[in-house]
Amino acid sequence: MKEDILSLQDLRSDQILALLDHASSLKNQFTTVGANSKYLNGKILGMIFQKPSTRTRISFETAMLQLGGHAINLSFSDLQLSRGESVEDTARTISLYVDMIMARVYDHKDIEKLSEYSTIPVINGLSDLFHPCQILADLLTIHEYKKKLKGINLAFIGDGNNVCNDLLLGCSKLGMNIRVSTPIGFEPMDWVVDIARTSSRKNESTLLITSDPTEAVIDADVIVTDTHISIGKETELDSREKIFFPKYQVNDDLIKYAKKDFIFLHCLPAKRGKEVTSQIIDGPHSAIWSEAENRLHVQKALLIKILGD
C-alpha cells in the first residue's frame, strides 16, 4: 500500500518522533553539502510546482541528489495541466515514470486528487490547508534548541493558515502546549481544531485559540509566525494589513511576555516590518536559519521512510 503524507494527520506520534530522530542522525551523517549516499539509488522524485518555491524545491532536489536519487522539476507551465489536462490524468501519467510525487499547490483538493489517482506515494510540499514538511522541520528545530518536545509551550501568532493547521496537529500529537492567536475570522479550521483538542487531551497538553496575542505568548518557549498574505491572497493585501498590523506583529513589545530563552521560528519568506520586525529575525532568539536548514534533513528522512528499501 502506497504511503502519502498530505498533512501531519497522516503520521502517528511515534512515526513523527522516529522521523525526527532519523533526520537528526542524517544531519550528523551529512557533514558536507556535497556528501552523497546510495539510500535512494535509482529512485526518481517528480516535483510539481504551481506556487513559487525557494526552500521546498532546493531542499527536496538536494535531498534526492545527496541520497543517490534524482529529482525532476515540473512547473505548472511545463505540464499539460496548463492546457487543461486534468489533475487525475496527470497523476496517472506521472505515476508511469517516477517513484514519488511531491506537489506544491494552491488548492488542497489538487493534492487529494493526486493522491487518489496516482499509483505512487504523494507528499504535500505545501497547499492552502497544510504544510507538513515545514512543521516537521519546526519540530526538529525546537527539539535541537529545547532538548524536548512534550510540555513545550508554543505560540502561533497571525493567520490561521496551512502552517497553523499542521502545527496544531503536530503539537497536539506530541504533547506540546499550543496557543494560537489570530484575528476574529482568521482562525484555523474548526475540524482541525477539534482533532487537535482530542489529541491534546489524550497527550495531556493544552490548546488555546484566542484573538489576544499577549495571552498566547505568555511563558512561551517558542513563538511562530507566518506571512499575513499567503501566496494566492495578494489581492487581499490592503484589507489584511489593516486587520493584522500592528496587533499581530511579533516585535519587542510582544516578546517581553515570553520566556527569556524563547526561540523564534518563521517558515520564510518573511515580510520584515509586517508580521515580524527585523530586530526579532536577526536577534538572539531567532532560529530561522536552523529551521530552514532542517527542511533538508527531515525531507531526507521522509524520502527514505517512503522510498527506501
Side-chain angles (χ1 to χ4, degrees):
M1 182 177 178
K2 74 189 185 82
E3 186 173 7
D4 298 335
I5 308 296
L6 307 189
S7 76
L8 288 191
Q9 189 60 15
D10 293 326
L11 293 169
R12 301 187 309 270
S13 57
D14 63 311
Q15 291 176 315
I16 294 174
L17 291 172
L19 279 167
L20 299 181
D21 184 63
H22 193 193
S24 181
S25 175
L26 289 166
K27 185 174 183 177
N28 292 328
Q29 176 183 342
F30 287 80
T31 55
T32 62
V33 172
N36 185 270
S37 75
K38 302 300 180 184
Y39 280 108
L40 300 181
N41 191 35
K43 301 292 186 180
I44 301 174
L45 173 69
M47 305 188 300
I48 299 175
F49 290 100
Q50 287 183 338
K51 291 185 174 184
S53 176
T54 298
R55 282 149 290 274
T56 298
R57 178 182 174 182
I58 296 172
S59 58
F60 266 108
E61 195 161 339
T62 300
M64 286 300 292
L65 176 64
Q66 291 189 352
L67 293 173
H70 183 70
I72 300 174
N73 178 42
L74 304 166
S75 70
F76 183 79
S77 61
D78 291 334
L79 295 169
Q80 295 293 350
L81 279 167
S82 62
R83 298 179 61 246
E85 184 169 33
S86 69
V87 174
E88 295 87 340
D89 288 350
T90 299
R92 293 183 179 106
T93 301
I94 295 177
S95 295
L96 301 173
Y97 306 131
V98 304
D99 299 290
M100 180 189 287
I101 296 171
M102 185 283 296
R104 183 175 169 92
V105 301
Y106 286 100
D107 191 339
H108 190 74
K109 291 179 181 178
D110 286 341
I111 283 280
E112 294 176 330
K113 288 178 184 178
L114 284 170
S115 171
E116 180 179 358
Y117 289 94
S118 71
T119 58
I120 57 176
V122 174
I123 292 180
N124 181 4
L126 178 140
S127 69
D128 59 331
L129 298 188
F130 296 107
H131 202 352
C133 296
Q134 178 63 55
I135 304 314
L136 287 172
D138 292 358
L139 294 171
L140 178 59
T141 307
I142 295 166
H143 190 270
E144 287 177 343
Y145 277 79
K146 299 300 179 181
K147 309 307 178 187
K148 67 174 185 176
L149 291 172
K150 188 172 179 62
I152 287 292
N153 299 324
L154 183 145
F156 177 87
I157 310 298
D159 186 14
N161 59 7
N162 42 21
V163 168
C164 180
N165 288 328
D166 257 327
L167 270 175
L168 282 164
L169 295 175
C171 290
S172 62
K173 284 175 183 278
L174 300 180
M176 299 170 64
N177 305 312
I178 180 169
R179 297 173 183 169
V180 171
S181 179
T182 71
I184 294 172
F186 292 86
E187 300 88 350
M189 296 178 295
D190 287 343
W191 67 268
V192 173
V193 175
D194 289 343
I195 291 172
R197 285 196 191 283
T198 299
S199 187
S200 287
R201 286 193 291 268
K202 176 183 176 182
N203 294 297
E204 301 179 327
S205 60
T206 61
L207 187 159
L208 174 69
I209 308 295
T210 177
S211 60
D212 183 357
T214 300
E215 184 180 17
V217 302
I218 291 174
D219 291 330
D221 297 291
V222 183
I223 298 177
V224 185
T225 192
D226 190 10
T227 177
H228 300 156
I229 316 294
S230 296
I231 299 173
K233 302 289 186 180
E234 289 82 2
T235 58
E236 302 175 20
L237 173 62
D238 292 340
S239 61
R240 280 180 173 250
E241 282 198 348
K242 292 176 182 177
I243 294 169
F244 283 91
F245 184 79
K247 182 177 180 179
Y248 295 91
Q249 183 187 74
V250 179
N251 54 35
D252 287 338
D253 289 334
L254 185 63
I255 66 168
K256 65 185 179 182
Y257 297 99
K259 290 183 179 177
K260 298 299 183 183
D261 63 345
F262 86 92
I263 62 170
F264 171 74
L265 300 179
H266 191 307
C267 66
L268 302 177
K271 304 292 192 302
R272 290 169 179 259
K274 296 300 181 181
E275 72 269 13
V276 61
T277 63
S278 291
Q279 289 91 332
I280 303 299
I281 289 180
D282 300 325
H285 297 283
S286 178
I288 63 171
W289 304 118
S290 295
E291 178 189 14
E293 179 190 347
N294 282 338
R295 288 291 303 275
L296 173 64
H297 307 301
V298 297
Q299 282 154 200
K300 285 179 183 175
L302 263 181
L303 291 165
I304 292 170
K305 169 180 167 57
I306 298 173
L307 288 181
D309 294 329

